[in-house]
Amino acid sequence: MDSNHTPIWLYSIITGWFAAFSDQYGSLSLLVCAAIILDILTGILKAKAAHSVNSKTRFKGFWKKLSLFAGLSFGYFLDFFELYLLSISNVVSFSFHIPFGTIIGIYIVLNECISICENLNDCGVKLPAFILRALKTANDQVNTNKLQKK
């Protein structure tokens, strides 16, 4: 085997892991990415409309969005870690499963959708009030359920 070529087994492992990950988290990850991208775009439009484009704000926003992906990745990690703990039942045993990645992903999408609505409103696009109200109600319910489980 030539040292310049990656072994085929490594490609198999990577693509197998990616396929399994995408099967479980692909749709949610895509929704999170789409919501974040739309929030960035509407945020830029809002700044342009208000003539307040600021590199410091963009830099802070970049790190915030990056931290959202870190939080989502941590949720996915917790899902896998929880499954690992359940698989070694002689060490830890509990009779429930908390889908951390899904909860964090839904929370991110809801917050980004609220921000998108607010950005559009600030650009002069009047959305029906029930849309923002529904998003805020759903977000409040996620927060309430999250606090009740503590």
Side-chain angles (χ1 to χ4, degrees):
M1 178 181 346
D2 187 357
S3 63
N4 293 334
H5 293 90
T6 306
I8 192 82
W9 60 266
L10 184 58
Y11 287 126
S12 298
I13 290 172
I14 292 169
T15 56
W17 178 85
F18 184 73
F21 180 82
S22 294
D23 186 43
Q24 185 170 0
Y25 297 110
S27 298
L28 181 60
S29 297
L30 185 62
L31 286 171
V32 168
C33 288
I36 288 175
I37 289 169
L38 283 172
D39 185 42
I40 290 169
L41 291 175
T42 58
I44 291 169
L45 292 173
K46 172 185 166 182
K48 290 280 190 185
H51 304 291
S52 64
V53 177
N54 183 336
S55 62
K56 185 177 180 181
T57 303
R58 284 186 289 167
F59 186 72
K60 184 179 175 184
F62 168 78
W63 289 110
K64 179 183 176 195
K65 300 304 180 192
L66 194 60
S67 67
L68 291 175
F69 283 116
L72 183 63
S73 298
F74 181 63
Y76 293 159
F77 166 79
L78 288 175
D79 285 349
F80 288 112
F81 183 64
E82 181 182 18
L83 292 174
Y84 172 74
L85 287 177
L86 290 172
S87 72
I88 53 173
S89 60
N90 59 342
V91 175
V92 176
S93 66
F94 43 90
S95 61
F96 58 89
H97 169 68
I98 300 173
F100 293 103
T102 303
I103 293 169
I104 292 171
I106 290 170
Y107 183 74
I108 291 170
V109 171
L110 283 171
N111 278 310
E112 294 301 297
C113 287
I114 291 168
S115 178
I116 291 165
C117 289
E118 291 170 348
N119 289 341
L120 289 172
N121 186 53
D122 291 345
C123 288
V125 177
K126 298 299 177 197
L127 297 173
F130 75 89
I131 293 174
L132 187 57
R133 217 175 18 252
L135 289 169
K136 286 185 176 183
T137 300
N139 192 36
D140 291 344
Q141 287 178 346
V142 169
N143 285 331
T144 301
N145 290 335
K146 191 169 55 174
L147 293 174
Q148 288 175 349
K149 291 187 185 215
K150 281 187 176 182

